[in-house]
Amino acid sequence: MARHVALITGASSGIGAEFARQLAARGLDLVLVARDEARLSALAAELREEHGVTAEVMPADLVDDTQRRVVEQRLRAGVDFLVNNAGFGNHGDFVDLDIEAEDAEVRLNVLAVVRLTHAALAPMIDRGKGAVVNVSSVAGLVPGLPNPTYGASKAFVTSFSESLHEQMRPHGVRVMALCPGYTHTEFHARAGIDTSSSPDLLWLDVEDVVRAALKDLAAGRAVSVPGAVYKAITVLTRLAPRSLARRTAGRLRRGAMKV
Ligand code: NAP
């Protein structure tokens, strides 16, 4: 019987590396994508050794059109599982941010997700099965949070995934948005975000985030929000008028900045 293959973007650290570990433990062969080839190779070697899977390393900067197209080609050849996880957030007031860095954020968080999903779906539809998990964020649920571009990019990913969830259902292909809250990874250090005053209660571990995501995917959910605290925040946000949620988030933000 042919073995199942998962392609994971942003597999060199954090949530993506944990998807690679948990999917390898379930016997899936892997294609690991990120920019840092040395880290991908080290992870691939670890997973081959521990789980006896094959692990292909595909270094690519997904902001770059030419490099991203190579990954699109690999997806068109067919995979069973795509995790669109690579992403980052610039931190600060929008007008103060470097517009080229904002451009890169949209290209990675939005454009790459759309193009890689498109490339992966046709062969999945032909086979009548497959799964796509798009890593979004609770930051996409409410406007007014620290970085407008990041929040909007994640709102896009969640809405895109929910629509595709319905479109793909008749084809036997599952599409789900994963919306984590604060998770211990390299994300905040890369963004230069000081998390020292964020309460412990809000922090999730990658193991729990990925375990919850795979459970929710198996249950056929369109959106996965790991952790009881974030589930509660999500419900409250949906119940509150959007204007109230926006103003509250804005006040919290101004309070945090002491403006
Ligand atoms: P992370 O540890 O910083 O991992 C980000 C991954 O994306 C790395 O593997 C990085 O690898 C890769 N990446 C970054 N830019 C790339 C590019 N141009 N091309 C290809 N790969 C690139 O952060 P993480 O928290 O695991 O982030 C994963 C996803 O979770 C992101 O989409 C993020 O928005 C989302 N998320 C995170 C949190 C959180 O609190 N951590 C919460 C909600 C959502 P290289 O540097 O090797 O390219």
Side-chain angles (χ1 to χ4, degrees), residues 8-11 13 23 25 63 70 86-87 101 123 132 143 148 153 161 203-206 234-235 239 254:
I8 303 161
T9 71
S13 76
L23 292 177
V63 171
V70 177
V132 178
S153 75
S161 308
W203 284 95
L204 302 167
D205 289 322
V206 283
T234 304
V235 170
L239 290 176
R254 285 189 292 277

Side-chain angles (χ1 to χ4, degrees), residues 9-16 33-37 39 60-63 84-89 108-109 135-138 150 154 178-188 190 203 206:
T9 71
S12 62
S13 76
I15 295 170
V33 179
R35 292 166 301 180
D36 190 327
E37 185 171 3
R39 288 181 86 180
D61 181 345
L62 295 172
V63 171
N84 273 312
N85 162 78
F88 75 95
L108 182 63
N109 294 7
V135 181
S136 184
S137 171
V138 291
Y150 181 73
K154 294 305 186 180
L178 167 61
C179 298
Y182 278 125
T183 307
H184 292 293
T185 68
E186 296 173 14
F187 179 89
H188 301 93
R190 287 184 200 241
W203 284 95
V206 283

Side-chain angles (χ1 to χ4, degrees), residues 25-231:
R26 291 170 181 224
L28 275 81
D29 289 333
L30 303 171
V31 183
L32 306 176
V33 179
R35 292 166 301 180
D36 190 327
E37 185 171 3
R39 288 181 86 180
L40 291 180
S41 296
L43 179 62
E46 173 197 320
L47 298 179
R48 282 184 209 115
E49 170 78 20
E50 254 179 54
H51 302 292
V53 298
T54 67
E56 182 186 335
V57 167
M58 189 175 258
D61 181 345
L62 295 172
V63 171
D64 180 272
D65 286 338
T66 309
Q67 295 183 42
R68 192 199 54 242
R69 283 202 182 100
V70 177
V71 182
E72 289 175 30
Q73 271 310 111
R74 176 64 189 84
L75 289 167
R76 277 192 205 97
V79 300
D80 303 277
F81 200 135
L82 167 64
V83 184
N84 273 312
N85 162 78
F88 75 95
N90 299 309
H91 185 61
D93 283 343
F94 176 68
V95 290
D96 298 330
L97 293 172
D98 172 13
I99 192 59
E100 298 310 328
E102 288 287 271
D103 183 284
E105 185 179 317
V106 174
R107 292 174 68 77
L108 182 63
N109 294 7
V110 177
L111 183 66
V113 172
V114 172
R115 293 196 63 114
L116 298 186
T117 302
H118 193 266
L121 284 179
M124 289 182 183
I125 290 169
D126 286 347
R127 292 178 191 170
K129 61 181 178 163
V132 178
V133 172
N134 292 326
V135 181
S136 184
S137 171
V138 291
L141 298 175
V142 59
L145 288 166
N147 172 17
T149 307
Y150 181 73
S153 75
K154 294 305 186 180
F156 178 96
V157 172
T158 303
S159 174
F160 173 69
S161 308
E162 285 187 277
S163 301
L164 277 182
H165 175 89
E166 292 305 326
Q167 278 193 8
M168 289 301 119
R169 193 202 290 266
H171 299 288
V173 177
R174 290 168 292 162
V175 180
M176 186 184 83
L178 167 61
C179 298
Y182 278 125
T183 307
H184 292 293
T185 68
E186 296 173 14
F187 179 89
H188 301 93
R190 287 184 200 241
I193 300 171
D194 176 10
T195 55
S196 55
S197 57
S198 310
D200 288 350
L201 177 77
L202 291 181
W203 284 95
L204 302 167
D205 289 322
V206 283
E207 293 84 356
D208 297 331
V209 168
V210 174
R211 204 173 302 114
L214 294 176
K215 194 170 163 208
D216 285 342
L217 183 72
R221 294 196 199 291
V223 179
S224 172
V225 180
V229 170
Y230 288 106
K231 281 188 174 63

